[in-house]
Amino acid sequence: MSYLSVAKFGGTSVANYPAMQSCANIVIADPNTRVVVLSASAGITNLLVALANGCEEAERNKLLNEVRQIQENILTELKDDCRVRPKIEALLANITSLAEAANLATSLALTDELISHGEMMSSLIFVEVLRELQIEATWLDVRTIVATNSHFGKATPNDEQTRQNCNNLLKPLIERGELVITQGFIGRDEQGKTTTLGRGGSDYSAALLAEVLNAQDVLIWTDVAGIYTTDPRIVSNAQRIDTMSFSEAAEMATFGAKVLHPATLLPAVRSNIPVYVGSSKAPQDGGTWVTRNPQPRPTFRAIALRRDQTLLTLSSLNMLYAQGFLANIFTILAKHKISVDTITTSEVSVALTLDKMGSASSGTGLLSQELIDELSQFCTVKVDTGLSLVALIGNELHTASGVAKRIFETLDAYNIRMISYGASTNNICLLADSDKADDIVRLLHKALFE
């Protein structure tokens, strides 16, 4: 097989007919792109999640009409929608049935089934957009390729089965020279039920397919021309980063940068596949290449911001000179599928930061009363919200002299609730009040990058 690229287009890139046309032109201009992975059109997934959570008839009909209208706006701009319209109508009818079922009883399995329809619709329509540009493409249901476990909402792919499915179904299409259009974000478990890889999982899908196909690169097309030193909406002077390492990008994604999904990098790192991030609206503007060992590797690379953080402070005199206290705490957290971001400890307390929302597609909050009650059997539990995590991303931060001085002199006017420094060579994390987070990012960016 010759040079092969896997391209992924995000929700804003397929939001409407003109956006889809721009994506189609990018695909046509690059003969190496033989597999295209699509997200749902912008706004669709949120609407489907709301339907999956169950709602009264009036609200349900309103949401269903919004879903239909987004699709209708694209269909009406096609020169001829006779081939694809019946397929979209069937999917819309299925969405209606599932939404009615969700009103009676919700479940993660039903949620995954329902929200998968967004990617199915966008990918079917995209094939027609290409056809109007005289490009024949083959639509493929990615669920026949990506095999997962049954952890609905955040399923884990079965790499061996996925590779086998790819060899049987996807590779033959590519070897015949076909252009394959498929979906991101979704898979299928051993029982044949639809699963999702978690919000943002389309990037993961693209990287996973690139790995099993032995592709040369993954092209992530979004609404931003690359990865920047921080969010340009917060700092207008943010600078695009031309190249960065997998570890730097993973840290940025983990701590709030929305350009890449954290799991995207796992298959890419395993197989050393370069990842490119560019804008589908302005492909000529260039972008960012993420590779294993780019040069140079500056001390400070970027600043990421993750909002809506929860600080969980657990205190008990039983911690003093005791063994097993932390083991009990983390056993409880693991039982409730809580992932801890940062942690600091003292003699009698431990402070943990958690994402406000869970990773499941439904967005259900993870800090349940059941969890609080269970923790309270071992310690006093204090919950603080309205916080944001500011992460400085760089290289060898734990060995560079003067790093702490530069940071804290810059932020001497602000109250920093918690600091995580030294556990990673690639990040320093600061927890602060959310209403001050943007100001903190601006000051740090000015001091470190401008």
Side-chain angles (χ1 to χ4, degrees):
M1 195 179 299
S2 59
Y3 197 103
L4 172 65
S5 297
V6 175
K8 175 260 177 178
F9 293 95
T12 55
S13 296
V14 292
N16 50 47
Y17 181 79
M20 282 196 173
Q21 273 203 319
S22 297
C23 296
N25 288 326
I26 289 172
V27 172
I28 294 168
D30 181 9
N32 293 324
T33 296
R34 307 311 303 160
V35 178
V36 177
V37 175
L38 296 184
S39 296
S41 296
I44 288 288
T45 300
N46 288 338
L47 293 169
L48 296 178
V49 167
L51 288 167
N53 289 335
C55 45
E56 295 300 321
E57 185 177 1
E59 178 65 15
R60 183 168 70 247
N61 289 336
K62 175 177 174 291
L63 294 170
L64 289 168
N65 286 334
E66 289 182 47
V67 171
R68 173 177 288 276
Q69 193 58 54
I70 291 173
Q71 305 305 319
E72 188 65 32
N73 290 342
I74 305 174
L75 289 173
T76 54
E77 292 204 50
L78 290 170
K79 295 185 183 72
D80 182 2
D81 65 2
C82 66
R83 274 190 291 256
V84 70
R85 181 173 285 278
K87 299 173 184 175
I88 300 301
E89 291 292 346
L91 289 170
L92 289 170
N94 205 27
I95 289 171
T96 301
S97 298
L98 290 167
E100 291 171 353
N103 195 46
L104 299 175
T106 61
S107 71
L108 288 176
L110 187 150
T111 296
D112 278 7
E113 177 66 33
L114 204 162
I115 63 180
S116 71
H117 285 64
E119 280 71 17
M120 304 299 280
M121 291 189 292
S122 65
S123 56
L124 284 166
I125 293 173
F126 191 68
V127 170
E128 294 303 313
V129 173
L130 283 165
R131 184 171 284 135
E132 289 192 347
L133 296 171
Q134 311 304 313
I135 300 297
E136 288 297 323
T138 300
W139 183 87
L140 179 69
D141 187 341
V142 81
R143 293 173 298 184
T144 62
I145 305 296
V146 178
T148 74
N149 63 9
S150 300
H151 186 179
F152 298 104
K154 196 180 179 186
T156 300
N158 178 329
D159 294 337
E160 184 178 342
Q161 185 61 52
T162 298
R163 185 177 294 278
Q164 184 177 327
N165 293 342
C166 179
N167 290 336
N168 293 337
L169 299 171
L170 181 54
K171 274 189 177 180
L173 296 174
I174 295 170
E175 288 168 353
R176 290 202 298 266
E178 297 187 33
L179 171 61
V180 178
I181 310 301
T182 192
Q183 309 80 37
F185 179 53
I186 60 179
R188 181 176 286 160
D189 70 5
E190 290 184 358
Q191 287 71 48
K193 292 184 177 180
T194 298
T195 58
T196 65
L197 306 182
R199 298 300 292 267
S202 290
D203 292 347
Y204 189 103
S205 300
L208 185 62
L209 291 178
E211 182 180 43
V212 297
L213 287 169
N214 300 316
Q216 276 64 46
D217 52 39
V218 180
L219 311 176
I220 305 291
W221 295 102
T222 179
D223 56 355
V224 181
I227 302 173
Y228 285 74
T229 47
T230 196
D231 189 338
R233 292 169 296 184
I234 299 174
V235 179
S236 58
N237 290 334
Q239 305 148 24
R240 189 178 69 214
I241 302 166
D242 291 330
T243 61
M244 65 191 311
S245 68
F246 287 126
S247 56
E248 291 168 331
E251 294 283 356
M252 283 194 70
T254 299
F255 289 105
K258 298 185 183 300
V259 177
L260 285 175
H261 186 266
T264 300
L265 301 176
L266 296 178
V269 170
R270 282 195 306 241
S271 298
N272 193 23
I273 302 172
V275 177
Y276 177 80
V277 180
S279 169
S280 62
K281 298 177 181 178
Q284 71 281 357
D285 288 352
T288 301
W289 278 103
V290 184
T291 62
R292 178 168 288 178
N293 187 29
Q295 297 299 326
R297 302 283 287 273
T299 301
F300 295 106
R301 179 69 88 181
I303 303 171
L305 174 62
R306 187 194 277 176
R307 305 184 193 275
D308 292 327
Q309 298 298 285
T310 297
L311 178 63
L312 194 63
T313 305
L314 310 174
S315 304
S316 173
L317 291 175
N318 292 332
M319 281 185 67
L320 198 61
Y321 306 120
Q323 292 82 40
F325 178 83
L326 285 178
N328 289 333
I329 295 301
F330 279 95
T331 297
I332 294 170
L333 293 174
K335 172 186 171 183
H336 290 268
K337 294 183 169 56
I338 297 288
S339 177
V340 174
D341 284 332
T342 59
I343 177 171
T344 61
T345 64
S346 72
E347 289 294 338
V348 294
S349 65
V350 55
L352 316 165
T353 64
L354 316 169
D355 255 337
K356 179 182 177 183
M357 305 304 281
S359 299
S361 304
S362 63
T364 306
L366 288 182
L367 210 56
S368 64
Q369 188 58 49
E370 182 184 358
L371 169 62
I372 300 296
D373 292 343
E374 206 164 335
L375 288 170
S376 297
Q377 296 176 19
F378 292 91
C379 55
T380 301
V381 180
K382 183 173 183 288
V383 179
D384 289 303
T385 57
L387 300 167
S388 292
L389 198 65
V390 178
L392 285 165
I393 313 299
N395 295 281
E396 303 300 327
L397 291 170
H398 66 316
T399 61
S401 301
V403 167
K405 181 175 184 292
R406 292 180 69 184
I407 294 170
F408 295 115
E409 280 185 349
T410 303
L411 302 180
D412 61 352
Y414 291 90
N415 174 37
I416 304 300
R417 298 287 302 276
M418 178 174 163
I419 302 162
S420 178
Y421 182 20
S424 167
T425 65
N426 291 110
N427 78 62
I428 299 171
C429 292
L430 312 167
L431 192 68
D433 292 335
S434 288
D435 60 353
K436 300 293 191 295
D438 285 11
D439 291 337
I440 288 173
V441 169
R442 291 187 192 103
L443 279 174
L444 286 172
H445 193 275
K446 184 173 183 179
L448 302 177
F449 296 99
E450 300 174 43

